[in-house]
Amino acid sequence: MGFDGLMVSVSGVRGRVGEALTPEVIATYAAAFGAWASRNGNRRVVVGRDSRVSGPMFTRIVHGALESVGCTVIDIGMAPTPTIQLAVEHHHAAGGLGITASHNPIEWNALKFIGASGLFLSAAEGAEMRALLETGIPRATWDELGHIERDDDAVARHLEQLLALPWLDVDAIRAARFRVALDCCHGAGSVIMPQLLTELGCEVYAINMEADGKFHRPPEPVAENLGELAALVKATQAHIGFATDPDVDRLALVLDDGVAPGEDYTLAFAARTVLKHRPGPVVTNLSTSKVVSDVAAEFGVPFQFAKVGEVNVAIAMRDAGATIGGEGNGGVILPEMHLGRDAPVGAALMLQLMVEEGRPLSELVSSKPRYVIVKDKLDRPDAPLDAVYEALRAAFPDAVADTQDGLRLDWSDRWVHLRPSGTEPIVRVIAEAPSDADARLLIAQAREPLAALV
Ligand code: MG
């Protein structure tokens, strides 16, 4: 069964509302997911949504679709994605559905599929679930239909679990009375971030808190979208500024100097905080800045790359027994909480670090090596990329090569990563080096064998 313009990935399906993403698509995928998740007899499925305008409409459709395959729906209402993941664990549910397009623009929405472990579906699980679209979705008879239950405490439990982390010094953070600027971009962050910061004794200056999905700027929390937050940090002389994406799994920072240092610093700071208390392996995806591996090196702990994609990082972290990990895009994963990116966890770790450092984080940044990341993309050639990878490895025999997801070449202070996009017919090329010129040179060198193929 095909739907034009729909982006289907391992652990989700997304599209523009009213175009590819219709009620029919949502109903079909939600029913397939419910049938797949309840294949072993456990019929409980947690449902939550972010703040998008189409969220309530799609929630009603998801409810009916899940009932039609005999699921007991536990609806937690508007909630961050990590809260949905935690609720799946709490209820020992068969899975969870998040109705959220994460950081995608305002006209998008999506379904995210969460398995019984609270992790997003793996490639194998996603394929199994989607196979039902071909073979037919087994529906419940009239006397086996599911029903809807409500759970209004999921966010409160998330906060409680976070504040109980043994090495989070809640009293010391409260005593510090941090001034914190906050931008939730009209997303689901509004239901958890102010509560968290108030619990931690912060003086909160918040903007864009109406959780109505009417994003007035691109909702991805990259530095170029954080101008308002930077101005707020300056105007209030805040110690730090936090921005969350609409489903609250990514956290970006504006530091005390009013500068957004780049999303990779969220994970670098989180690692610094956690490794002091719990030394252990660090795992990130292959497109993450060296500022994270530098912290692992500083603490003398193992560092490991995983393929791009949250579930790949989560599985690698589980296998490695990682202490901390995540993605350079502001996605902090703390296994002590759960194996999912969690912006509230990230924010608590930043405040703990500020207490422990006893100096502004801008000073911490300027005391360490800085890098520049340059991102580029070009059309994917028809030919396989193996020849490109071979040519680059031959051209740079001194680099350490990682081939688990495209090709990443690493040197002591720079790297370049080529990777075919999973959702678009392009090749992404990302490079990082001490200077912009050096990073651009790496990009140009990596493009050479690619251009020869196009
Ligand atoms: Mg997100």
Side-chain angles (χ1 to χ4, degrees), residues 81 100-104 112 221 245-250 310 341:
T81 292
T100 169
S102 189
H103 58 274
N104 285 126
K112 278 189 175 177
D245 76 328
D247 70 326
V248 211
D249 52 4
R250 289 170 62 176
E310 170 170 340
R341 298 179 301 173

Side-chain angles (χ1 to χ4, degrees), residues 26 32 42 51 61 70 116 127 144 171 238-239 259 266 271 283 319 336 356 360 391 415 430:
I26 293 286
N42 178 356
S51 65
I61 291 160
E144 297 284 340
D171 291 338
H239 296 101
V259 175
T266 310
V283 177
D319 293 347
E336 272 178 277
E356 293 181 13
W415 54 271
I430 305 180

Side-chain angles (χ1 to χ4, degrees), residues 136-215:
I137 300 166
R139 303 284 178 174
T141 51
W142 69 272
D143 53 346
E144 297 284 340
L145 295 175
H147 66 278
I148 313 294
E149 294 176 4
R150 273 203 71 90
D151 168 17
D152 294 325
D153 300 326
V155 169
R157 284 194 309 269
H158 187 172
L159 279 176
E160 199 178 322
Q161 191 178 340
L162 169 49
L163 293 169
L165 284 172
W167 43 267
L168 189 72
D169 194 341
V170 171
D171 291 338
I173 296 173
R174 283 183 181 149
R177 302 284 306 159
F178 289 121
R179 277 190 306 282
V180 177
L182 175 65
D183 179 354
C184 289
C185 191
H186 298 265
S190 306
V191 304
I192 195 165
M193 295 301 291
Q195 294 81 346
L196 170 70
L197 297 173
T198 304
E199 278 286 323
L200 289 171
C202 301
E203 206 175 298
V204 184
Y205 299 92
I207 51 172
N208 305 321
M209 301 303 287
E210 307 80 7
D212 55 12
K214 293 180 180 161
F215 316 141

Side-chain angles (χ1 to χ4, degrees), residues 32-167:
F33 175 79
W36 173 82
S38 55
R39 66 201 179 286
N40 297 324
N42 178 356
R43 303 201 157 272
R44 287 189 298 278
V45 173
V46 172
V47 173
R49 65 173 179 93
D50 70 13
S51 65
R52 288 169 190 269
V53 173
S54 57
M57 173 181 79
F58 285 143
T59 298
R60 291 190 289 272
I61 291 160
V62 164
H63 282 179
L66 290 171
E67 286 179 283
S68 81
V69 292
C71 289
T72 301
V73 175
I74 302 169
D75 189 287
I76 67 168
M78 192 192 299
T81 292
T83 309
I84 304 172
Q85 293 176 290
L86 283 167
V88 169
E89 290 183 47
H90 172 82
H91 289 289
H92 303 291
L97 277 179
I99 303 167
T100 169
S102 189
H103 58 274
N104 285 126
I106 192 164
E107 67 273 21
W108 290 75
N109 210 337
L111 287 180
K112 278 189 175 177
F113 308 122
I114 300 163
S117 59
L119 271 63
F120 289 113
L121 298 202
S122 67
E125 291 170 325
E128 235 180 82
M129 192 273 285
R130 286 194 305 278
L132 288 178
L133 299 176
E134 306 297 332
T135 59
I137 300 166
R139 303 284 178 174
T141 51
W142 69 272
D143 53 346
E144 297 284 340
L145 295 175
H147 66 278
I148 313 294
E149 294 176 4
R150 273 203 71 90
D151 168 17
D152 294 325
D153 300 326
V155 169
R157 284 194 309 269
H158 187 172
L159 279 176
E160 199 178 322
Q161 191 178 340
L162 169 49
L163 293 169
L165 284 172
W167 43 267

Side-chain angles (χ1 to χ4, degrees), residues 242-324:
F242 293 136
T244 51
D245 76 328
D247 70 326
V248 211
D249 52 4
R250 289 170 62 176
L251 177 77
L253 311 176
V254 170
L255 301 185
D256 49 282
D257 55 2
V259 175
E263 302 145 276
D264 294 86
Y265 275 94
T266 310
L267 183 54
F269 287 152
R272 181 174 295 282
T273 314
V274 173
L275 291 175
K276 261 186 220 168
H277 300 272
R278 300 265 197 279
V282 176
V283 177
T284 73
N285 74 28
L286 281 157
S287 293
T288 302
S289 167
K290 282 197 97 70
V291 294
V292 179
S293 47
D294 282 356
V295 175
E298 196 179 318
F299 282 84
V301 297
F303 175 84
Q304 187 188 314
F305 284 123
K307 282 179 162 184
V308 173
E310 170 170 340
V311 67
N312 298 319
V313 178
I315 290 170
M317 288 180 69
R318 191 172 61 191
D319 293 347
T323 302
I324 180 89

